[in-house]
Every structure is written in structure tokens, then in C-alpha cells.
Amino acid sequence: MIDILDLTADVLVAGGGPAGAWAALKAAQAGADVILVDKGYLGTSGATASAGTGVWYVEPETEAREAAMASRENLNGHLSDRRWMARVLDQTYANINELATAGRYPFPILDDGSELRRGVQGPEYMRRMRAWLKRAGVRILDHSPVLELLTDPAGAVAGVAGHRRQLDQPYRVRAGAVVLATGGCAFLSRALGCDVNTGDGALFAAEVGAAFSGMEFSNAYAIAPEFSTVTKTAYYNYATFYREDGTVLEGAGSQRGRSVIARALLTGRVFARLDLAGETVRAAMRLGQPNFFLPFDRMRIDPFTDRFPITLLLEGTVRGTGGVRVADEDCSTGVAGLYVAGDAATRELICGGFTGGGSHNSAWAMSSGTWAGTAAARHARALGPAAKRRRLIATGQAGLRPTGAQLGTHHDVVRAVQAETHPYEKNYLRHGDVLAEALATLDELWTYTSAHTRGPDPVGGRQAAAMVAHARWMYTAALARTESRGMHKRLDYPDTDPTRRHRLLVGGLDELWTKADPVRPHTPLDLAVAS
């Protein structure tokens, strides 16, 4: 008989990145008994824990906030919402200040004695968050990925089931509410810190009826040296790009011009040199992101004076803006008892169809985590003790409970989905005919995965199924948006269509659907809220 670890909590948080940590902290501060489960080790796993990151931290001054909100609206296709942006700016400002005091984070001291609070060092940030959670009484299960959501007979989310990898032990948590903060999906591209980001939470959410938004904005590729997985693309703002013969690759760039790099990589190698950085900037770069330079130093390459070969690594919805649809201001999903935060949730509300690394992403993680955790605690409190006595129904299917005989392995499925998502000519340089062909292949792969995939490692099967599901939502939305907007570029529809200034919902598992979701127009109230 299998020994199952059976636990109860008011709030269960799935995911140990910044969004999950803030959700657990705020739920505990609201009086809830909280369990946080992480696929890795909370404090070291995930994209944030592996490097430094900027934070969208803006002083509460009208002009500064207005400039912050307006700065990316052209890039993001005017799909962001000023009201949500103002909320995030307010919440991030409060959270960072709390991190400095109650969280004991050592922000750098400037010459005038003030602290520089516009960024954090990921390893130290997450180490402090783990310690803070322990002080708040949060129970943490490391190396314990969730495999599925559990619901009550009415369909409300009532807990999770998962697997403790180091003990090879299944577990179950009965909870009044669940927060999914499991991150986005990078399709095991080897981008630094992203191997835990396989879109699992999105699959769990879909199995209980949640929808998605912005999934067409999922083709984020980051620049990295060929010999490294470090994807600090902001540093390449100081780069000149070259063809293999040493000639300058005209039009190539970090923020604008990455598609030029992708096209060049289809036919040859591309090189970079950070030769636009002056001495002061070079020193600041080394201080700000020391791990960026480790691979160069080991190979005795000076990236400021030597040309080095680069590639593009897929970061999908980790850097893209698509994710589970946020149904209300409390980061609820429209499914009772289920809340979502961080990269698992759509970031369109503040980023529209484009985002870079850190900054808005970091702000969204801590803000959405705060709202989701607080609301989850409130929901659990309203249910009372009876919530922990509900009959539980397992919801996991593909990759966990195949409908037919097991064939092949989940590794075969992973390789197949990567073949449709990693190539630039399919996912980045998009064309309707190519997308349609890839989606047809993925539809067949989903049918196969649902019927035949379940590995000896239960986590592997679910990860494979989640990646297939993610890819299908991405390409279904990409085909439905017949224009170029934000990071979604269609070679067959190169212009932005003003009649398509709407968000795009997508959902389903076996049969997929799409629906336009109007963007709320900006009003003078948005500016008043920001101030």
C-alpha cells in the first residue's frame, strides 16, 4: 500500500518563485494556515533566483508614474490597462519598501544615504523571502511538484495532489483555496533558471475550466552566448552584431531588431561584442550581473573587446505576456477557489503584447502574488472548517491517467513539441501556413499524449502534456490574430490592424476555442489613480 502524505491548510500555494513567495506571505499575514509546495527548492529554483533583476519601482509622483505607464504602450500594442498599471505601481512600491524593512533585504546605499530600490539580486532576494516565510509560519515542501488540482463535487478547487521527489512519496493537500504561481513555459530550452518552467499550472487550470489570455504573445526569445544559458538581454543594448565574416549585421538589436538576428541565424552564425559600453557602464554591468560574465571569464573572452557567437533561446511565456486569464482584481480565475499569480497569469494587463526581462515582470510577480494570496486567505476563511472536510475529486488527465495503453516515453513527446516550438522559422518568424501545419502536428501529439503517455516519473508525463497544451494555445491564438502587434509578428500580416485592438481569449483541451476580449479604454480616472 502506498504511503500518502495527507495534509490540510487554509491556503495552498503552488510555486516557489517571487509570485508564490509573496502569495504565501500575504496569505499568512492575513491569518491563514499556509503550505507552499515547490518543484525545486524555494530560494534557488526558477528564473529570478538565478540572476539579478530590475523592478518597476517608481516613486509616487504624478509625472514619474505617467511616464512609467506610457513608456511601453507603443511597443505593447496598446493592450495594457492604465488602471491595472497604476495598481501594480502602488503595490510594488509598498512591497519593495516592506522587503527592505520587514524582509531585511540589503538594498545598496547611494552617496546621499538613500537606498537604490529599483532592482534586486535574485539569489539574495529569494534567500530573504524563504527566511521571511519561515518567520511567518508558512510550511514549505521543497522538491514536491504538484501533479493535479483537486475539486469538490461542485467544481470548486479544494486542494492539490503531487509527488515528493526525494522521498518518492505521493502527497495530498486539502485546502480552502489554491494559488497557482507555477511560472510560465520555456519548453525546456535551457534558458537559465527555466527548466522548472514547463507550464504545469496552466494545464491544471485548464482541466478545471480556466481560460487564457495573450497566448499569442508567447514567442519571446532571449539572446545568449552559444556557450552559456545566461539570458540577460538588456546587456545587449550595448552590443554591435556581426556576421561570421566580420561585417556588421545591420538592423540587429536587443529590443528592436531581434528578428534580424533570427533570420541571420537561419543561414549562419551571428556574433556580438559589447563595444558600445563605456568604462563606467562596464564596471556597473559586472557589479550588477556577475554571473553574466562567468562563462566569458572561464573562456578568457572579453565580451567588451572580443566578438563571441550568440544564439536565441526560447523563453515562451516566462518572458511573454500570455497566461491564465485574470478574472478580477483579486487575481481570481473564474473557477471558485482558484487564484493565479506571476508568470502563470497573463501579464497583458500591464504589459500588453510585449515585455522584457525583470522590471514589469518582477513588479507583476509581487503585486499579483499579494492580491492572490490575500484573496485566497479571505476565500478560505469564508468557507470555514467545512472546507477541509470536502470530498475530493482528482482532475488530472493527460500525462497522468492515459486513456489507452502506454506507448513510448514522455521524452519522445518533449522532443516532438520542441520541434514545433523552438525553431525561429516556426515560432518567431511566424506565417499562417507554417503555424497551421505546426498546430496540426501538435493536435495529433495532444491526442497521442492524452491516450498513451505516462512515464515512470509522474512529473515528466505531466510536464510533457503541459508543454503540448501550451503550444496548442499559443498557435491557436497566433493564427486567430491576423496582424502584427507587440511581440507577435506575422510575416503574412505585417501591419497592425486598428480593428483588432482587443485581447484574445483561448481555452479548451481536446477542442480549442478563441474569443475576442475588448480592451477597456483609458480615462482621466486612470491618471488620478496613478497619482
Side-chain angles (χ1 to χ4, degrees):
M1 185 175 181
I2 299 176
D3 180 25
I4 298 177
L5 177 64
D6 208 339
L7 302 170
T8 61
D10 296 322
V11 174
L12 183 285
V13 177
W22 281 101
L25 177 67
K26 291 303 174 180
Q29 289 179 347
D33 172 32
V34 183
I35 293 177
L36 184 150
V37 296
D38 190 21
K39 185 186 285 190
Y41 180 89
L42 191 159
T44 63
S45 69
T48 295
S50 63
T53 181
V55 180
W56 202 35
Y57 176 87
V58 182
E59 295 288 340
E61 300 168 355
T62 301
E63 290 186 4
R65 291 285 177 90
E66 164 61 21
M69 291 189 289
S71 62
R72 290 190 182 179
E73 287 179 328
N74 286 333
L75 274 175
N76 75 35
H78 295 276
L79 295 182
S80 51
D81 186 321
R82 286 284 183 95
R83 185 172 58 89
W84 275 88
M85 296 168 89
R87 291 185 70 216
V88 167
L89 285 168
D90 284 342
Q91 191 64 62
T92 300
Y93 187 77
N95 283 29
I96 285 290
N97 293 341
E98 187 181 4
L99 177 64
T101 53
R104 306 170 187 173
Y105 184 86
F107 286 99
I109 305 297
L110 300 175
D111 292 340
D112 63 1
S114 64
E115 291 184 344
L116 180 62
R117 296 185 177 181
R118 294 196 301 271
V120 292
Q121 288 296 333
E124 184 65 15
Y125 174 32
M126 295 312 300
R127 185 179 77 84
R128 299 275 175 164
M129 291 302 296
R130 183 183 180 96
W132 198 359
L133 290 178
K134 285 190 170 183
R135 293 196 301 272
V138 175
R139 289 177 283 169
I140 301 171
L141 299 184
D142 297 305
H143 306 292
S144 301
V146 172
L147 293 176
E148 62 182 331
L149 293 174
L150 306 173
T151 64
D152 66 14
V157 171
V160 304
H163 188 77
R164 305 197 72 187
R165 303 186 87 159
Q166 292 182 323
L167 301 175
D168 193 23
Q169 178 190 37
Y171 72 86
R172 177 175 57 206
V173 180
R174 298 170 180 268
V178 171
V179 178
L180 288 177
T182 48
C185 182
F187 297 95
L188 295 176
S189 66
R190 296 180 60 247
L192 184 66
C194 292
D195 275 3
V196 293
N197 299 130
T198 50
D200 307 355
L203 177 61
F204 307 154
E207 287 173 333
V208 297
F212 304 85
S213 183
M215 293 303 290
E216 67 272 37
F217 306 119
S218 51
N219 56 333
Y221 284 79
I223 302 170
E226 279 186 0
F227 47 82
S228 171
T229 61
V230 180
T231 55
K232 286 294 149 188
T233 301
Y235 278 12
Y236 292 93
N237 288 327
Y238 298 98
T240 303
F241 298 92
Y242 302 86
R243 297 182 181 86
E244 193 161 10
D245 63 7
T247 59
V248 173
L249 182 59
E250 298 294 343
S254 173
Q255 190 174 80
R256 296 182 183 272
R258 220 173 296 181
S259 60
V260 175
I261 298 172
R263 290 188 183 92
L265 284 169
L266 293 176
T267 57
R269 299 174 85 193
V270 174
F271 292 75
R273 182 166 57 203
L274 306 180
D275 47 15
L276 303 180
E279 290 300 325
T280 301
V281 172
R282 294 180 185 189
M285 290 167 73
R286 279 195 172 274
L287 183 64
Q289 298 284 356
N291 66 344
F292 176 88
F293 294 95
L294 286 175
F296 293 102
D297 294 342
R298 288 171 180 159
M299 299 183 70
R300 298 184 179 181
I301 294 172
D302 184 342
F304 299 112
T305 59
D306 301 330
R307 292 191 304 124
F308 55 92
I310 62 166
T311 187
L312 297 176
L313 294 180
L314 177 62
E315 292 182 313
T317 53
V318 175
R319 284 272 178 88
T321 65
V324 178
R325 175 178 174 262
V326 174
D328 209 337
E329 292 186 354
D330 59 0
C331 289
S332 55
T333 62
V335 178
L338 183 64
Y339 300 83
V340 66
D343 292 352
T346 181
R347 255 194 316 271
E348 279 182 301
L349 295 164
I350 67 164
C351 295
F354 173 87
T355 184
S359 186
H360 293 60
N361 305 13
S362 302
W364 176 248
M366 62 179 64
S367 298
S368 60
T370 294
W371 300 326
T374 303
R378 184 169 57 247
H379 181 84
R381 185 166 56 248
L383 291 177
K388 299 173 186 177
R389 297 193 296 269
R390 290 179 289 180
R391 182 166 65 88
L392 301 179
I393 300 171
T395 63
Q397 295 298 323
L400 187 62
R401 297 183 180 89
T403 58
Q406 182 177 333
L407 300 174
T409 70
H410 67 270
H411 299 293
D412 300 323
V413 175
V414 169
R415 284 191 289 270
V417 71
Q418 287 177 330
E420 303 303 324
T421 55
H422 282 208
Y424 315 139
E425 63 271 28
K426 292 185 179 182
N427 194 8
Y428 196 37
L429 307 172
R430 290 173 164 176
H431 188 286
D433 293 342
V434 177
L435 288 170
E437 184 177 350
L439 181 58
T441 300
L442 290 165
D443 286 342
E444 293 177 1
L445 185 60
W446 173 257
T447 300
Y448 171 89
T449 303
S450 298
H452 303 299
T453 300
R454 188 188 188 283
D457 172 11
V459 179
R462 288 297 264 171
Q463 288 186 160
M467 285 190 281
V468 179
H470 231 83
R472 293 174 70 227
W473 295 319
M474 283 165 42
Y475 286 175
T476 297
L479 278 167
R481 187 173 286 282
T482 50
E483 62 165 351
S484 290
R485 186 183 293 270
M487 68 173 63
H488 166 70
K489 308 293 185 185
R490 287 277 298 265
L491 299 180
D492 48 342
Y493 292 96
D495 298 322
T496 299
D497 183 348
T499 68
R500 293 183 178 275
R501 191 186 158 194
H502 56 70
R503 301 190 186 100
L504 192 62
L505 304 183
V506 62
L509 286 167
D510 295 332
E511 298 293 331
L512 305 189
W513 54 266
T514 62
K515 177 184 177 183
D517 185 25
V519 174
R520 190 180 69 91
H522 297 161
T523 70
L525 178 60
D526 298 319
L527 304 184
V529 170
S531 63

